Amino acid sequence: MPLPTTPTNDFLLGLPKAELHLHVEGTLEPDLKLRLARRNGVDIGQQSVEDVQATYQFTDLASFLAVYYPAMQVLVTEQDFYDLADAYLAKAATQGVKRAEIFFDPQAHTTRGISFATVISGYSRAAYEAAERHGIDAELIMCFLRDHTPESAHATLEEALPHKHRILGVGLDSDERGNPPALFAKTFATARENGLKLTMHCDIDQHNSIEHIRQVIEDIAVDRIDHGTNIVEDPALVKMVRDQSLGLTCCPLSNSFVSDDMKANEIINLLREGVKVTLNSDDPAYFGGYIGDNYQAFAQASGATTAEMVQIARNSFDVSWVSAERRADYHAMIDSYVQEFSA
Ligand code: ADE
Ligand code: ZN
């Protein structure tokens, strides 16, 4: 029996996929936040899940970040960082994730007195155990906060280099307005010299978005772009991204919180033009869904066919930073999943 042209929610949830745009601090669910606050004796001024959710009022990236960073004060010990990452990996496993390349923001913790070693130890222990505990190959991508200085980013990289065997790549996140990629060129060049992969956020509908995307491609020479769907405004950028097979890590549910919509039309059109778009969850505890939920919401909004959704899952492994051998294993997993579902 052939697969239906329109994908079912069950099919999309179980479809093997890689998550490539996921901020682990953005997976802090209200119940875990309350539990960690109690465990560490931190007064967050909220007593119930409803209290926490009532603070989730945002209309753009800046207003989201103003809620996001203060929540992190409940993360204190190595075990807290482990528990946060492990809870995400357990959830991701239920939504078809086989490979996760996970962002973390060390400066959001070191600037409030938590040591870099505490942060990286907790996260990397959870990543290391993920294959056995959850059937996921997990790796870490260390992001610099672009609304802190380039000097702070560079100092963070230097602090991280003794731990570089625990880090797959580096990224750039936080508030993009007035903080262009080129400011961080030296730090990203040093990361590259140290064998790390490079990615940067080009958030949705930002001021100077097209120039920022040009910088990440031409000046920084990134290996992937986070979001980046504003390339639709410039055919030359679409061509560059397609010709270089640069992956775009799109996040539909997140888009609908920080901009006017999910950008489903832009994403499906880019897919149909041969761009390696992928779907991801960004900050799922804040944006109402994990990766499978993003696949489902996007399929519904865009009218993508089953074959197109399978292509998106394939793209996620194509642009993930795995060996060619491992990539072939993941493609085979998709093939058998599709075959089983058709039977
Ligand atoms: N940090 C966490 N989520 C982010 C996003 N969507 N954009 C930029 N920085 C972030
Ligand atoms: Zn992001």
Side-chain angles (χ1 to χ4, degrees), residues 21 23 61 64-65 68-69 105 173-174 201 203 227 254 282-283 287:
H21 186 153
H23 301 264
L61 182 58
F64 161 66
L65 294 170
Y68 179 69
Y69 291 118
D105 282 346
D173 64 3
S174 206
H201 276 58
D203 257 289
H227 299 295
S254 159
D282 209 1
D283 300 286
F287 297 141

mmCIF file of all heavy atoms in Angstrom, residues 21 23 61 64-65 68-69 105 173-174 201 203 227 254 282-283 287, ligand 1:
data_model
loop_
_atom_site.group_PDB
_atom_site.id
_atom_site.type_symbol
_atom_site.label_atom_id
_atom_site.label_comp_id
_atom_site.label_asym_id
_atom_site.label_seq_id
_atom_site.Cartn_x
_atom_site.Cartn_y
_atom_site.Cartn_z
ATOM 1 N N HIS A 21 18.666 22.547 15.709
ATOM 2 C CA HIS A 21 18.489 23.914 16.245
ATOM 3 C C HIS A 21 17.648 23.808 17.506
ATOM 4 O O HIS A 21 16.426 23.867 17.460
ATOM 5 C CB HIS A 21 17.831 24.801 15.183
ATOM 6 C CG HIS A 21 17.744 26.246 15.570
ATOM 7 N ND1 HIS A 21 17.708 27.268 14.645
ATOM 8 C CD2 HIS A 21 17.684 26.864 16.779
ATOM 9 C CE1 HIS A 21 17.631 28.433 15.264
ATOM 10 N NE2 HIS A 21 17.608 28.210 16.567
ATOM 11 N N HIS A 23 18.006 24.997 21.655
ATOM 12 C CA HIS A 23 18.731 25.608 22.775
ATOM 13 C C HIS A 23 18.362 24.825 24.021
ATOM 14 O O HIS A 23 17.189 24.825 24.427
ATOM 15 C CB HIS A 23 18.333 27.070 22.942
ATOM 16 C CG HIS A 23 18.595 27.904 21.730
ATOM 17 N ND1 HIS A 23 19.745 28.653 21.574
ATOM 18 C CD2 HIS A 23 17.873 28.090 20.598
ATOM 19 C CE1 HIS A 23 19.699 29.281 20.401
ATOM 20 N NE2 HIS A 23 18.582 28.949 19.780
ATOM 21 N N LEU A 61 11.820 38.750 19.401
ATOM 22 C CA LEU A 61 12.992 38.081 19.970
ATOM 23 C C LEU A 61 13.418 38.731 21.287
ATOM 24 O O LEU A 61 13.671 38.037 22.277
ATOM 25 C CB LEU A 61 14.132 38.120 18.934
ATOM 26 C CG LEU A 61 15.429 37.427 19.332
ATOM 27 C CD1 LEU A 61 15.201 35.962 19.667
ATOM 28 C CD2 LEU A 61 16.460 37.551 18.195
ATOM 29 N N PHE A 64 11.121 37.915 24.177
ATOM 30 C CA PHE A 64 11.319 36.507 24.555
ATOM 31 C C PHE A 64 12.580 36.362 25.418
ATOM 32 O O PHE A 64 12.552 35.739 26.487
ATOM 33 C CB PHE A 64 11.424 35.621 23.300
ATOM 34 C CG PHE A 64 12.067 34.300 23.582
ATOM 35 C CD1 PHE A 64 11.441 33.369 24.398
ATOM 36 C CD2 PHE A 64 13.322 34.000 23.070
ATOM 37 C CE1 PHE A 64 12.051 32.154 24.704
ATOM 38 C CE2 PHE A 64 13.937 32.791 23.366
ATOM 39 C CZ PHE A 64 13.292 31.868 24.181
ATOM 40 N N LEU A 65 13.669 36.970 24.978
ATOM 41 C CA LEU A 65 14.945 36.813 25.698
ATOM 42 C C LEU A 65 14.866 37.417 27.109
ATOM 43 O O LEU A 65 15.519 36.934 28.034
ATOM 44 C CB LEU A 65 16.094 37.444 24.890
ATOM 45 C CG LEU A 65 16.400 36.736 23.556
ATOM 46 C CD1 LEU A 65 17.379 37.558 22.714
ATOM 47 C CD2 LEU A 65 16.947 35.324 23.771
ATOM 48 N N TYR A 68 13.520 34.650 29.046
ATOM 49 C CA TYR A 68 14.351 33.439 28.910
ATOM 50 C C TYR A 68 15.557 33.433 29.861
ATOM 51 O O TYR A 68 15.790 32.462 30.576
ATOM 52 C CB TYR A 68 14.776 33.416 27.451
ATOM 53 C CG TYR A 68 15.650 32.314 26.955
ATOM 54 C CD1 TYR A 68 15.175 31.016 26.863
ATOM 55 C CD2 TYR A 68 16.943 32.591 26.500
ATOM 56 C CE1 TYR A 68 15.974 30.017 26.336
ATOM 57 C CE2 TYR A 68 17.738 31.599 25.963
ATOM 58 C CZ TYR A 68 17.254 30.314 25.888
ATOM 59 O OH TYR A 68 18.036 29.334 25.370
ATOM 60 N N TYR A 69 16.326 34.520 29.870
ATOM 61 C CA TYR A 69 17.564 34.514 30.678
ATOM 62 C C TYR A 69 17.298 34.456 32.182
ATOM 63 O O TYR A 69 17.944 33.662 32.889
ATOM 64 C CB TYR A 69 18.476 35.693 30.312
ATOM 65 C CG TYR A 69 19.071 35.551 28.931
ATOM 66 C CD1 TYR A 69 18.796 36.470 27.926
ATOM 67 C CD2 TYR A 69 19.896 34.469 28.624
ATOM 68 C CE1 TYR A 69 19.321 36.318 26.649
ATOM 69 C CE2 TYR A 69 20.431 34.308 27.349
ATOM 70 C CZ TYR A 69 20.139 35.239 26.373
ATOM 71 O OH TYR A 69 20.657 35.078 25.116
ATOM 72 N N ASP A 105 24.459 27.903 26.058
ATOM 73 C CA ASP A 105 24.904 29.299 26.196
ATOM 74 C C ASP A 105 25.760 29.455 27.451
ATOM 75 O O ASP A 105 25.246 29.877 28.503
ATOM 76 C CB ASP A 105 23.679 30.223 26.369
ATOM 77 C CG ASP A 105 22.930 30.517 25.076
ATOM 78 O OD1 ASP A 105 23.458 30.249 23.983
ATOM 79 O OD2 ASP A 105 21.805 31.045 25.185
ATOM 80 N N ASP A 173 24.127 33.373 19.067
ATOM 81 C CA ASP A 173 22.686 33.581 19.285
ATOM 82 C C ASP A 173 22.447 34.828 20.117
ATOM 83 O O ASP A 173 23.326 35.677 20.238
ATOM 84 C CB ASP A 173 22.044 32.310 19.879
ATOM 85 C CG ASP A 173 22.580 31.948 21.256
ATOM 86 O OD1 ASP A 173 23.407 32.693 21.805
ATOM 87 O OD2 ASP A 173 22.169 30.896 21.782
ATOM 88 N N SER A 174 21.242 34.942 20.669
ATOM 89 C CA SER A 174 20.763 36.099 21.430
ATOM 90 C C SER A 174 20.371 37.250 20.497
ATOM 91 O O SER A 174 20.122 37.022 19.318
ATOM 92 C CB SER A 174 21.773 36.521 22.498
ATOM 93 O OG SER A 174 21.090 37.188 23.547
ATOM 94 N N HIS A 201 23.153 32.255 14.068
ATOM 95 C CA HIS A 201 21.751 32.631 13.880
ATOM 96 C C HIS A 201 21.643 33.816 12.919
ATOM 97 O O HIS A 201 22.387 34.800 13.051
ATOM 98 C CB HIS A 201 21.124 33.078 15.200
ATOM 99 C CG HIS A 201 20.606 31.970 16.057
ATOM 100 N ND1 HIS A 201 21.385 30.939 16.500
ATOM 101 C CD2 HIS A 201 19.364 31.738 16.552
ATOM 102 C CE1 HIS A 201 20.650 30.125 17.234
ATOM 103 N NE2 HIS A 201 19.420 30.585 17.283
ATOM 104 N N ASP A 203 18.341 35.450 12.555
ATOM 105 C CA ASP A 203 16.969 35.336 13.045
ATOM 106 C C ASP A 203 15.964 35.930 12.053
ATOM 107 O O ASP A 203 16.328 36.638 11.118
ATOM 108 C CB ASP A 203 16.863 35.995 14.425
ATOM 109 C CG ASP A 203 16.828 34.952 15.530
ATOM 110 O OD1 ASP A 203 15.808 34.262 15.640
ATOM 111 O OD2 ASP A 203 17.829 34.834 16.257
ATOM 112 N N HIS A 227 17.961 29.493 11.252
ATOM 113 C CA HIS A 227 16.858 30.260 10.643
ATOM 114 C C HIS A 227 17.280 30.603 9.199
ATOM 115 O O HIS A 227 17.396 29.710 8.396
ATOM 116 C CB HIS A 227 16.474 31.505 11.448
ATOM 117 C CG HIS A 227 15.996 31.216 12.836
ATOM 118 N ND1 HIS A 227 14.840 30.529 13.101
ATOM 119 C CD2 HIS A 227 16.545 31.535 14.057
ATOM 120 C CE1 HIS A 227 14.682 30.440 14.419
ATOM 121 N NE2 HIS A 227 15.699 31.027 15.010
ATOM 122 N N SER A 254 8.497 28.473 16.676
ATOM 123 C CA SER A 254 9.221 29.632 17.211
ATOM 124 C C SER A 254 8.937 30.876 16.365
ATOM 125 O O SER A 254 8.661 31.958 16.900
ATOM 126 C CB SER A 254 10.716 29.310 17.234
ATOM 127 O OG SER A 254 11.500 30.460 17.270
ATOM 128 N N ASP A 282 13.912 24.923 18.371
ATOM 129 C CA ASP A 282 14.437 26.175 18.941
ATOM 130 C C ASP A 282 14.360 26.158 20.476
ATOM 131 O O ASP A 282 15.316 25.733 21.118
ATOM 132 C CB ASP A 282 13.697 27.386 18.344
ATOM 133 C CG ASP A 282 14.551 28.640 18.307
ATOM 134 O OD1 ASP A 282 15.723 28.579 18.717
ATOM 135 O OD2 ASP A 282 14.049 29.700 17.863
ATOM 136 N N ASP A 283 13.255 26.636 21.050
ATOM 137 C CA ASP A 283 13.088 26.698 22.514
ATOM 138 C C ASP A 283 11.735 26.077 22.864
ATOM 139 O O ASP A 283 10.763 26.787 23.161
ATOM 140 C CB ASP A 283 13.130 28.162 22.971
ATOM 141 C CG ASP A 283 14.445 28.830 22.612
ATOM 142 O OD1 ASP A 283 15.455 28.539 23.274
ATOM 143 O OD2 ASP A 283 14.456 29.609 21.645
ATOM 144 N N PHE A 287 7.865 27.718 23.178
ATOM 145 C CA PHE A 287 7.177 27.960 21.904
ATOM 146 C C PHE A 287 6.138 26.881 21.578
ATOM 147 O O PHE A 287 5.743 26.720 20.421
ATOM 148 C CB PHE A 287 8.196 28.096 20.767
ATOM 149 C CG PHE A 287 9.124 29.283 20.929
ATOM 150 C CD1 PHE A 287 10.472 29.184 20.586
ATOM 151 C CD2 PHE A 287 8.652 30.494 21.413
ATOM 152 C CE1 PHE A 287 11.324 30.282 20.720
ATOM 153 C CE2 PHE A 287 9.500 31.598 21.557
ATOM 154 C CZ PHE A 287 10.840 31.485 21.214
HETATM 155 N N1 ADE B 1 18.462 32.066 22.209
HETATM 156 C C1 ADE B 1 17.516 31.180 22.455
HETATM 157 N N2 ADE B 1 16.629 31.154 21.456
HETATM 158 C C2 ADE B 1 17.043 32.046 20.543
HETATM 159 C C3 ADE B 1 16.574 32.466 19.280
HETATM 160 N N3 ADE B 1 15.469 31.958 18.729
HETATM 161 N N4 ADE B 1 17.254 33.419 18.640
HETATM 162 C C4 ADE B 1 18.358 33.930 19.186
HETATM 163 N N5 ADE B 1 18.843 33.572 20.348
HETATM 164 C C5 ADE B 1 18.200 32.626 21.031
#
